[in-house]
């Protein structure tokens, strides 16, 4: 296992959900991600949240869902690109790689949490993804994500 000194100053990109990726599992256990207004993976691999209304996102032949997260922790930066199915994961990766500048202009240096709806027939192209709901952000020293305030 890596300690704080081993990860400090490094950036990690995790592909896959907490059910398939050990590093992603550690990220999802981090404080601030297990709150009722953010989607989380349940024991079946679906995305669920409790507030504002209980909701479950499941995949079908046409649609997938994914979460794209940046989390600063122990002096390192972690990105998690996790879909319910492969199309969601690969599209989240491409959304991060190709849309990084736009996302950074919106959120600045803060950590972020974005939920994506993915049209499977267009995956992994970024045209397959649309943002679902709001973007959530937090500073590295904050515990919980809050809605991104737009002007």
């Amino acid at each position: 296992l890596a300690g704080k000194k081993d990860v400090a100053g490094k950036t990690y990109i995790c592909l896959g959900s907490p059910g398939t990726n050990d590093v992603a599992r550690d990220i999802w256990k981090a404080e601030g991600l297990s709150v009722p207004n953010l989607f989380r993976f349940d024991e079946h691999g679906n995305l669920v949240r409790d507030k504002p209304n209980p909701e479950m996102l499941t995949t079908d032949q046409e649609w997938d869902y994914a979460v794209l997260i940046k989390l600063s922790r122990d002096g390192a930066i972690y990105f998690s690109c996790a879909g319910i199915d492969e199309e969601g994961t690969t599209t989240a990766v491409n959304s991060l790689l190709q849309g990084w500048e736009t996302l950074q202009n919106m959120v600045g240096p803060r950590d972020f949490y974005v939920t994506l709806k993915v049209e499977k027939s267009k995956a992994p192209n970024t045209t397959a993804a649309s943002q679902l709901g709001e973007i959530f952000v937090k500073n590295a020293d904050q515990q919980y994500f809050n809605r991104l305030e737009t002007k």
Side-chain angles (χ1 to χ4, degrees), residues 30-43:
E31 290 186 73
L33 286 176
S34 302
V35 293
N37 61 329
L38 299 179
F39 283 102
R40 59 181 161 59
F41 285 93
D42 69 6
E43 64 277 3

Side-chain angles (χ1 to χ4, degrees), residues 103 105-108 110-113 131 134-138 145-151:
L103 193 53
N105 288 337
M106 292 172 62
V107 302
R110 296 176 286 184
D111 292 348
F112 59 78
Y113 178 104
Q131 182 182 314
E134 299 174 273
I135 295 176
F136 292 85
V137 295
K138 73 177 194 66
F145 285 86
N146 296 295
R147 287 177 178 82
L148 175 65
E149 298 293 327
T150 57
K151 295 180 180 182

Side-chain angles (χ1 to χ4, degrees), residues 61-79:
Q61 291 184 344
E62 292 182 57
W63 298 101
D64 194 7
Y65 298 89
V67 178
L68 179 55
I69 299 171
K70 175 190 172 201
L71 185 66
S72 303
R73 188 172 142 190
D74 299 330
I77 298 173
Y78 296 88
F79 292 95

Side-chain angles (χ1 to χ4, degrees), residues 76-148:
I77 298 173
Y78 296 88
F79 292 95
S80 178
C81 304
I84 297 173
D85 281 344
E86 181 180 326
E87 293 89 350
T89 298
T90 57
T91 303
V93 170
N94 279 337
S95 296
L96 175 63
L97 296 175
Q98 295 179 22
W100 173 246
E101 264 188 84
T102 302
L103 193 53
Q104 186 176 21
N105 288 337
M106 292 172 62
V107 302
R110 296 176 286 184
D111 292 348
F112 59 78
Y113 178 104
V114 181
T115 306
L116 302 173
K117 184 175 183 178
V118 177
E119 189 175 351
K120 285 185 168 185
S121 65
K122 295 181 180 178
N125 296 324
T126 56
T127 58
S130 59
Q131 182 182 314
L132 184 65
E134 299 174 273
I135 295 176
F136 292 85
V137 295
K138 73 177 194 66
N139 293 320
D141 61 345
Q142 292 177 310
Q143 184 173 359
Y144 296 108
F145 285 86
N146 296 295
R147 287 177 178 82
L148 175 65

